[in-house]
């Protein structure tokens, strides 16, 4: 059966059509700059990339172009071939403990969580509504970034803040990148051949998070109420003393909201280096001796190691660490420095394997803790959940 996996952002729409249960990709692509006169739609199929420019002012038209493109490029002969659509939704709050078939009620429940993810959930809903109108007669499934982390216990997900904040406003750690952490940890457990395992997944991209997985369940993760908490990222600060907000608001004559915006969009790699949020630029800067680029790299590596050490103690040991996502899969310098920092835990880096790409073990055979590159595939997780619930 053919399943369409969808990830709708505020001005973008990523998609992938897969044959299930074989998990074979037929076509993938994205629509960029939705809301602009020069929006771009890209299809990748049969080893070819097809790119076109349109005026795409809303998600409804973007979805129409995606469906027309699937037919035009012969990815499907008719719409009846699509048996389900899986939608990524960032925030499921405490309402959604697992993926669900989308109904009008579910859409309204997702909408009720907009305060917890104001940048993401409204965009996810827009994509859902557009596809429900375009393909009204097939099951559509919401898969939440947060559900994999619903197995965390209170000591891991609660903040040491007034308990009434949790009772009244559901202030707690939710965690994100759940579909990625689940996919990678399940693949790692398969490689290890162990049902009982202790795995740390480092999802390192422009957005980045660390997750501790014990026996297939998330027990802790670095992102919190929002994706701002945790390690430094491309433009996000990660953890910071909350008192900084009031200090900078006063000094710079800004609102708290504006300072938080700076922490989301002008911090991390970009804020420390002063010139880029792209890890490739940061590495290039390091190689030419740029002090602040080197500092940005060192700060992130140090913070990653902070979480790894904490999770090692919390789980009572560690079998493997996995690197995934854009930086985790493609930046050997990051992997090298993180693993070298973990040597005290018995990890030994295979320098040759670390320079390669694709799924592989990058620790030596005698390494006490194994290290892997495992490419993530969030679209496959969306498709798996869609098949499971569609049945």
């Amino acid at each position: 059966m053919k399943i369409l996996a969808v990830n709708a952002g505020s001005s973008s729409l990523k998609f992938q059509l897969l044959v299930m249960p074989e998990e074979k990709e037929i076509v993938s692509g994205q629509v960029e700059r939705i809301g602009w006169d020069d929006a771009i739609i890209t299809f990748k199929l049969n080893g070819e990339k097809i790119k076109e420019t349109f005026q795409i002012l809303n998600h409804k038209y973007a979805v129409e172009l995606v469906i027309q493109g699937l037919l035009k490029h012969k990815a499907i002969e008719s719409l009846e071939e699509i048996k389900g659509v899986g939608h990524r939704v960032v925030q499921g709050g405490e309402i959604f403990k697992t993926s669900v078939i989308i109904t009008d009620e579910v859409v309204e429940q997702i909408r009720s969580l907009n305060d917890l993810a104001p940048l993401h959930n409204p965009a996810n809903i827009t994509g859902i509504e557009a596809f429900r109108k375009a393909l009204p007669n097939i099951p559509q499934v919401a898969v939440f970034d947060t559900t994999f982390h619903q197995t965390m216990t209170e000591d891991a997900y609660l903040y040491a803040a007034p308990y009434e904040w949790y009772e009244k406003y559901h202030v707690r750690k939710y965690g994100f990148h759940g579909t990625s952490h689940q996919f990678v940890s399940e693949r790692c457990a398969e490689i290890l051949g162990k049902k009982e395992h202790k795995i740390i997944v480092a999802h390192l991209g422009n957005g980045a998070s660390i997750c501790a997985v014990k026996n297939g369940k998330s027990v802790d993760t670095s992102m919190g109420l929002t994706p701002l908490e945790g390690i430094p990222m491309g433009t996000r600060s990660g953890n910071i003393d909350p008192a900084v907000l009031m200090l900078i608001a006063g000094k710079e004559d800004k609102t708290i909201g504006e300072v938080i915006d700076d922490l989301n969009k002008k911090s991390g790699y970009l804020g420390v280096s002063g010139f880029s949020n792209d890890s490739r630029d940061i590495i290039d800067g390091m190689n030419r001796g740029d002090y602040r680029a080197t500092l940005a790299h060192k700060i992130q590596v140090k913070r990653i190691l902070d979480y790894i050490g904490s999770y090692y103690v919390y789980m009572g040991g560690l079998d493997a660490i996995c690197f995934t996502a854009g930086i985790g899969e493609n930046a050997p310098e990051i992997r090298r420095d993180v693993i070298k920092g973990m040597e005290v835990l018995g990890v030994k880096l295979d320098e040759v394997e670390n320079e390669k790409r694709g799924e592989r073990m990058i620790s030596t055979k005698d390494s006490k803790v194994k290290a892997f590159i495992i490419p993530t595939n969030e679209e496959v997780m969306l498709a798996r959940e869609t098949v499971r619930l569609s049945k």
Side-chain angles (χ1 to χ4, degrees):
M1 62 192 303
K2 293 179 180 178
I3 300 293
L4 190 61
V6 175
N7 182 356
S10 58
S11 62
S12 65
L13 181 73
K14 296 179 182 179
F15 59 91
Q16 191 174 124
L17 185 68
L18 302 103
V19 177
M20 299 296 288
E22 296 86 348
E23 299 183 355
K24 178 184 176 183
E25 178 187 316
I26 302 171
V27 60
S28 64
Q30 63 180 328
V31 186
E32 303 169 87
R33 295 176 59 81
I34 296 173
W36 297 75
D37 291 338
D38 56 348
I40 300 167
I41 183 168
T42 305
F43 288 86
K44 300 176 186 176
L45 72 166
N46 302 322
E48 184 182 2
K49 183 184 287 188
I50 304 162
K51 188 177 288 190
E52 296 178 274
T53 301
F54 293 91
Q55 181 189 57
I56 304 177
L57 298 181
N58 54 54
H59 283 72
K60 180 178 181 293
Y61 186 44
V63 168
E64 289 174 5
L65 288 176
V66 168
I67 292 172
Q68 290 171 15
L70 294 177
L71 292 164
K72 175 183 173 182
H73 300 301
K74 305 297 183 184
I76 54 173
E77 293 297 327
S78 69
L79 296 183
E80 285 69 32
E81 290 182 37
I82 300 175
K83 301 301 181 184
V85 182
H87 296 267
R88 179 199 179 205
V89 180
V90 167
Q91 178 60 270
E94 293 190 308
I95 298 174
F96 299 102
K97 305 293 186 182
T98 186
S99 307
V100 293
I101 293 283
I102 295 171
T103 62
D104 292 343
E105 181 184 6
V106 165
V107 171
E108 290 311 307
Q109 288 175 315
I110 295 171
R111 202 185 308 277
S112 75
L113 299 169
N114 282 359
D115 284 350
L116 296 178
L119 299 178
H120 297 91
N121 270 33
N124 301 153
I125 291 169
T126 299
I128 287 170
E129 290 178 331
F131 271 100
R132 289 184 79 202
K133 287 180 180 177
L135 301 168
N137 299 318
I138 62 173
Q140 310 220 11
V141 172
V143 183
F144 301 90
D145 271 12
T146 51
T147 54
F148 183 60
H149 304 301
Q150 287 291 313
T151 49
M152 291 189 294
T153 52
E154 287 180 314
D155 61 312
Y157 72 70
L158 283 180
Y159 295 115
Y163 192 74
E164 293 77 15
W165 293 3
Y166 171 63
E167 292 179 308
K168 292 179 181 178
Y169 312 116
H170 309 290
V171 173
R172 53 159 284 181
K173 176 188 286 189
Y174 289 100
F176 300 92
H177 295 139
T179 50
S180 176
H181 288 304
Q182 183 177 358
F183 179 88
V184 172
S185 59
E186 286 179 358
R187 177 59 186 145
C188 182
E190 186 181 335
I191 294 169
L192 293 173
K194 299 172 69 173
K195 287 187 177 179
E196 294 189 357
H197 51 260
K198 298 164 185 174
I199 295 167
I200 291 174
V201 178
H203 177 107
L204 306 178
N206 191 53
S209 64
I210 315 296
C211 183
V213 182
K214 188 172 183 179
N215 303 333
K217 295 182 178 181
S218 171
V219 296
D220 205 353
T221 190
S222 58
M223 284 181 168
L225 175 74
T226 73
L228 183 56
E229 185 180 354
I231 64 173
M233 309 172 215
T235 62
R236 297 181 193 139
S237 65
N239 295 342
I240 193 167
D241 184 339
V244 170
L245 277 70
M246 185 174 291
L247 174 69
I248 298 301
K251 297 289 186 183
E252 298 282 334
D253 192 25
K254 292 184 174 183
T255 65
I256 294 297
E258 288 171 331
V259 178
I260 291 175
D261 200 51
D262 287 345
L263 294 177
N264 266 305
K265 298 177 181 178
K266 298 179 180 179
S267 302
Y269 275 161
L270 177 61
V272 178
S273 73
F275 66 88
S276 181
N277 68 312
D278 192 311
S279 70
R280 292 166 293 190
D281 295 335
I282 299 301
I283 298 300
D284 288 343
M286 286 172 53
N287 291 336
R288 66 173 182 267
D290 185 288
Y291 172 76
R292 284 174 58 179
T294 304
L295 185 60
H297 171 79
K298 286 184 174 180
I299 290 173
Q300 192 190 48
V301 169
K302 197 272 181 188
R303 300 294 191 271
I304 292 169
L305 289 169
D306 288 346
Y307 276 99
I308 290 171
S310 170
Y311 294 164
Y312 179 90
V313 173
Y314 189 56
M315 291 193 291
L318 184 63
D319 294 307
I321 178 164
C322 308
F323 296 88
T324 195
I327 297 172
E329 294 171 30
N330 298 298
E333 298 87 354
I334 294 281
R335 298 192 299 264
R336 176 197 66 206
D337 290 351
V338 169
I339 291 174
K340 285 188 178 296
M342 293 176 63
E343 285 178 347
V344 67
L345 304 182
V347 188
K348 296 181 181 178
L349 177 67
D350 185 322
E351 299 272 6
V352 174
E353 290 300 309
N354 185 50
E355 292 297 323
K356 300 176 183 177
R357 295 187 179 185
E359 183 181 294
R360 66 189 61 255
M361 187 169 78
I362 57 173
S363 54
T364 60
K365 291 182 180 179
D366 63 339
S367 181
K368 182 180 177 182
V369 176
K370 305 301 182 186
F372 299 96
I373 302 170
I374 299 181
T376 191
N377 196 327
E378 295 173 275
E379 288 77 17
V380 163
M381 291 303 299
L382 296 177
R384 286 178 184 173
E385 287 294 274
T386 304
V387 170
R388 179 178 70 83
L389 287 170
S390 297
K391 288 181 178 178

